[in-house]
Amino acid sequence: PRYAEMAPAHVAPAVAQLLAEARAAVQHAEQAAPTWDSFVEPLDDANERLARAWGAVGHLHAVIDTPELRAAYNESLPQVTQYWTELGQNLALFEKYRALRDSPEFERLSAPRRRIVENALRDFRLGGAELAPEKKARFGAIQEELAKLSAKFAENLLDATNSFSLVIDDERRLSGIPEDARFAAREAAQKDAPPGSAAGRWKFTLHMPSWLPVMQYADDRALRETLYRASATRASEFGKPEWDNAPLIASILKLRKEAAQLLGYRSHAEVSLVPKMAATPQEVLDFLRDLARRARPFGERDAAELKEFARRELGIDTLEAWDYAYAAEKLRKRQFDFSDQEVKQYFPETAVLPGMFRLVETLYGVRIHEAKAPAWHEDVRFFEVRDASGQVTGQFYTDLYAREMKRGGAWMDEAIARRRKHDRVQIPVAHLVCNLPRPVGARPALFTHDDVTTIFHEFGHGLHLLLTRIEDLGVSGLSGVEWDAVELPSQFMENFCWQWEVLQPMCLHVDTGAPLPRELFARMLAAKNFHAGLAMLRQIELAMFDMRLHSDFDPDTGASALELLEEVRREIAVLVPPAYNRFPNSFSHIFAGGYAAGYYSYKWAEVLSADAYAEFEEHGVLDPATGARFRDEVLAVGGSRPALESFRAFRGREPRVEALLRHNGMIAAPSA
């Protein structure tokens, strides 16, 4: 993508032209013979051109959300949504795919192509192809409205996040906050003020690299509460009315339920699970409740320990939500004698990325080199993946630092997918995006161990795209992979962040160049499952809220999503936030992302990833032969076969939950 040349003014005319070409291709496909070469491939060509161009616009909307780009995106969004809805409802194409599936040619197709045809038939049914005309029209209108509401949800959250800042002019209030976080806050204050006028001022925001050090380290409890409340009430009735996401949530839930019922399902959750590994909402809820049962004794122990420590050592009689991270950091320092601040000195970006690349090169027999390509921001870097013969097999961008006008969180997405186009193979290209601390002064960016784990996670997704060998678009890379298995490669990569053989060569002190001391690593490892019970219960709480919201919650009764979340917390949580917390209003995973009725997939896939990693533990975590098998049986095959088949092919058996429990220190849970 020629990002440096793209301008908001290009969006509308480009989209209009590509839509016209795509519609012409649809008309041609409707009249073509029901064969792969006559109608599937030409239609894929036109749709890919549109999807790649619109994907570039959507990517820029997420990473440099200027007013002009936002306006251009929202202007074209309804037209693009309408096209994909029309395509999904096209009965003539549905019949064409069905004719291909029932023809002798189908058995002659490769296994990946047969899976593409089967997936297409499923997706046409889910897209409303079999609906009566009046129901099709309503279904299409719902999809268009949902796209607008999701985009608005994300924009409200970004605007609410960006609108808050707190300038401190009393240095005593900064007690406990690490020097690098103070330096960044001082730089932020200087950036906003005329030269020389920001001396003795520090600016804090709700962006994670600014917000989190305050929550973890600031001794000023009132300061922590101020930033906690500002974050917990983003995009709610406590701010600007036009940024309140609560009405959008209500509308999204009603429309999703109506769309599901038009298709003949009882709930959006049932629709969502059709292309996933899990069969029913009840199966997911049973899975989550079983994990909660196993994790609860550990979560209760963690919470009791934290409250007692805060009371005894910190003088905090009633532990509040704005105290959790602060008290936990103090307790971890007391128990294991290290802090995140100490550890991050050994994780400069200049050592972390090369170390991660060496790991991938060892396991998968590739080489990674920095290269040049047009980018959207000066922070962006570009890399190439080469095979053993030196051939470029994939490329990726990294955009690691937080900034204004950039969506929060971390993600990987696809710029280009691998496919064969006649006599050449199209090289896959990925975006790896995070919101980590940027370099301060002359020092490189410093990452916490959690930050490093985030980078490894997103690169795991990237490898799923970059190392595929499948050459058909619909099942190449992540395409066609069940959503509740798509986190397997990403969570799998996280495990290597706890291996001395991996960390030792990539951890160099930013000032001295000294390697990570083995005894500090031992303390980190001892602390690995510090409050793992609380962390797991939190993930289960969110997953159960999401699944119940989209299965048994009735938005037509007037009840709110917040009320349901409070009900779920009564069942699952052991630490409950204050009543003013409006977490649903910032839960963009399910209201502005692809995780609606799918947030459970993090835990579902973690069972697969932990069990897959256990194979490396048995044969050597840096064993190239095991790495080659994982690449060949999981990463390389993409969505060309069911994820469970890929897991079985690698592991030689069905997945088991024991590895996950062992990795979280819960294998001997009292209730198990």
Side-chain angles (χ1 to χ4, degrees):
R2 305 210 306 267
Y3 284 118
E5 300 171 41
M6 293 180 188
H10 299 157
V11 174
V15 168
Q17 179 178 328
L18 289 165
L19 284 171
E21 292 176 6
R23 286 197 165 94
V26 168
Q27 288 183 332
H28 179 269
E30 288 172 343
Q31 307 303 317
T35 67
W36 185 271
D37 292 339
S38 297
F39 97 97
V40 178
E41 194 139 26
L43 193 57
D44 275 354
D45 288 343
N47 286 333
E48 187 197 16
R49 284 195 297 275
L50 172 63
R52 277 177 54 178
W54 185 244
V57 176
H59 170 69
L60 293 176
H61 179 50
V63 293
I64 47 167
D65 189 22
T66 63
E68 297 79 12
L69 184 60
R70 179 182 292 190
Y73 176 84
N74 285 323
E75 179 187 351
S76 292
L77 177 62
Q79 300 153 45
V80 175
T81 305
Q82 181 186 16
Y83 171 76
W84 292 116
T85 303
E86 288 174 359
L87 187 71
Q89 294 184 345
N90 190 309
L91 192 57
L93 292 182
F94 179 44
E95 296 292 355
K96 199 77 67 174
Y97 271 101
R98 191 146 55 186
L100 173 56
R101 197 268 316 274
D102 295 339
S103 72
E105 185 192 348
F106 182 74
E107 294 305 320
R108 295 194 294 270
L109 293 177
S110 65
R113 290 184 174 183
R114 289 198 300 273
R115 186 158 170 84
I116 287 171
V117 173
E118 296 287 6
N119 287 351
L121 291 170
R122 175 200 69 201
D123 293 343
F124 273 111
R125 294 187 187 100
L126 296 179
E130 297 175 303
L131 294 178
E134 68 278 5
K135 289 186 176 181
K136 269 188 182 177
R138 177 59 188 153
F139 189 87
I142 289 173
Q143 299 310 312
E144 189 174 321
E145 183 63 19
L146 281 172
K148 290 179 185 176
L149 291 171
S150 291
K152 182 63 174 165
F153 184 100
E155 290 168 3
N156 286 351
L157 180 58
L158 180 61
D159 290 343
T161 302
N162 285 337
S163 71
F164 177 88
S165 64
L166 180 67
V167 176
I168 301 293
D169 55 14
D170 181 356
E171 189 168 8
R172 290 173 298 180
R173 299 198 69 190
L174 306 183
S175 170
I177 298 177
E179 188 57 40
D180 59 344
R182 292 191 192 198
F183 194 99
R186 188 163 67 240
E187 278 194 340
Q190 290 169 346
K191 184 180 173 184
D192 286 351
S197 66
R201 291 161 65 88
W202 296 264
K203 176 183 174 182
F204 295 94
T205 72
L206 300 182
H207 294 284
M208 195 58 68
S210 177
W211 182 85
L212 187 58
V214 174
M215 302 312 297
Q216 276 188 297
Y217 297 106
D219 296 323
D220 187 329
R221 195 182 187 201
L223 176 60
R224 298 199 307 270
E225 182 179 3
T226 298
L227 262 71
Y228 173 84
R229 181 184 285 267
S231 179
T233 57
R234 286 176 299 163
S236 74
E237 75 272 24
F238 297 112
K240 286 189 177 182
E242 62 268 31
W243 292 344
D244 186 1
N245 274 338
L248 273 62
I249 290 172
S251 297
I252 287 170
L253 293 174
K254 287 180 180 179
L255 290 170
R256 283 175 178 168
K257 182 179 180 182
E258 184 184 352
Q261 291 179 339
L262 282 170
L263 294 174
Y265 295 89
R266 287 177 296 182
S267 68
H268 177 75
E270 289 187 355
V271 177
S272 172
L273 292 179
V274 172
K276 293 183 170 75
M277 293 176 71
T280 66
Q282 192 58 51
E283 181 184 359
V284 173
L285 293 171
D286 289 346
F287 165 73
L288 293 172
R289 286 191 169 106
D290 179 57
L291 272 186
R293 176 182 63 80
R294 295 167 184 262
R296 189 169 188 87
F298 296 95
E300 290 173 340
R301 183 192 65 191
D302 293 344
E305 178 184 57
L306 192 63
K307 289 175 182 177
E308 173 60 20
F309 173 80
R311 185 191 61 76
R312 187 181 68 250
E313 302 292 336
L314 305 178
I316 300 175
D317 290 332
T318 302
L319 191 72
E320 302 287 0
W322 49 90
D323 302 319
Y324 295 165
Y326 177 76
E329 183 62 28
K330 296 284 189 189
L331 177 58
R332 183 170 63 174
K333 182 84 166 74
R334 169 70 62 85
Q335 288 185 345
F336 304 104
D337 194 28
F338 76 92
S339 69
D340 277 349
Q341 185 61 23
E342 178 185 359
V343 169
K344 71 189 292 188
Q345 308 306 312
Y346 290 95
F347 286 107
E349 179 185 355
T350 46
V352 169
L353 288 190
M356 181 174 72
F357 296 161
R358 277 196 303 273
L359 167 68
V360 170
E361 291 172 344
T362 300
L363 291 180
Y364 304 129
V366 298
R367 291 292 176 265
I368 298 172
H369 305 278
E370 188 155 11
K372 293 191 180 302
W376 54 91
H377 193 274
E378 61 187 10
D379 293 342
V380 176
R381 299 170 70 187
F382 184 73
F383 298 87
E384 291 182 341
V385 181
R386 296 176 179 267
D387 64 17
S389 69
Q391 184 78 24
V392 176
T393 58
Q395 300 168 318
F396 61 96
Y397 300 86
T398 62
D399 184 356
L400 300 183
Y401 313 139
R403 59 176 177 268
E404 288 190 0
M405 314 313 289
K406 181 180 181 183
R407 195 179 86 203
W411 67 92
M412 187 289 300
D413 64 16
E414 168 193 301
I416 302 175
R418 180 183 174 93
R419 69 177 294 203
R420 178 166 292 279
K421 298 186 79 170
H422 308 299
D423 59 345
R424 72 178 185 88
V425 174
Q426 177 173 284
I427 300 302
V429 180
H431 304 127
L432 304 178
V433 185
C434 298
N435 275 273
L436 305 179
R438 64 174 49 256
V440 174
R443 299 173 109 205
L446 298 179
F447 300 142
T448 66
H449 188 261
D450 282 347
D451 293 336
V452 174
T453 303
T454 296
I455 298 171
F456 271 60
H457 178 104
E458 299 308 334
F459 198 44
H461 281 309
L463 293 171
H464 208 175
L465 178 76
L466 298 168
L467 298 185
T468 187
R469 294 197 184 107
I470 301 300
E471 297 180 350
D472 293 301
L473 201 57
V475 290
S476 166
L478 284 77
S479 297
V481 177
E482 299 95 322
W483 194 264
D484 42 7
V486 85
E487 297 293 334
L488 191 170
S490 54
Q491 292 175 332
F492 166 80
M493 276 291 285
E494 293 182 26
N495 292 289
F496 291 98
C497 297
W498 294 102
Q499 290 298 149
W500 176 250
E501 304 97 306
V502 176
L503 292 191
Q504 190 264 336
M506 68 181 260
C507 296
L508 301 173
H509 194 281
V510 64
D511 295 323
T512 67
L516 179 72
R518 186 67 189 256
E519 55 86 21
L520 175 55
F521 172 74
R523 282 180 274 141
M524 291 168 59
L525 201 58
K528 175 177 182 285
N529 291 321
F530 177 70
H531 288 181
L534 284 175
M536 184 175 285
L537 288 178
R538 174 63 173 161
Q539 285 297 99
I540 293 168
E541 172 192 319
L542 300 186
M544 185 169 288
F545 167 62
D546 167 46
M547 184 52 64
R548 288 199 54 196
L549 196 64
H550 291 102
S551 58
D552 59 30
F553 176 74
D554 186 355
D556 294 317
T557 63
S560 71
L562 184 63
E563 289 170 323
L564 176 66
L565 179 56
E566 289 167 350
E567 181 184 326
V568 169
R569 281 174 176 153
R570 285 193 291 273
E571 178 183 354
I572 301 297
V574 294
L575 291 177
V576 179
Y580 63 71
N581 182 289
R582 294 293 182 267
F583 173 77
N585 296 42
S586 61
F587 199 4
S588 52
H589 271 76
I590 68 170
F591 295 119
Y595 283 85
Y599 197 81
Y600 77 92
S601 62
Y602 281 105
K603 281 297 164 203
W604 187 278
E606 199 175 345
V607 171
L608 304 177
S609 64
D611 201 1
Y613 187 71
E615 181 82 353
F616 283 79
E617 293 175 313
E618 292 164 16
H619 292 91
V621 295
L622 295 179
D623 178 39
T626 308
R629 285 200 301 111
F630 186 77
R631 172 179 177 160
D632 293 346
E633 300 294 0
V634 177
L635 300 176
V637 299
S640 65
R641 65 185 180 192
L644 189 56
E645 286 185 22
S646 296
F647 180 90
R648 284 196 208 106
F650 172 67
R651 201 66 173 99
R653 57 165 173 76
E654 300 292 313
R656 298 172 186 162
V657 75
E658 283 76 15
L660 172 63
L661 297 172
R662 177 167 53 81
H663 286 180
N664 283 273
M666 297 178 187
I667 198 67
S671 61

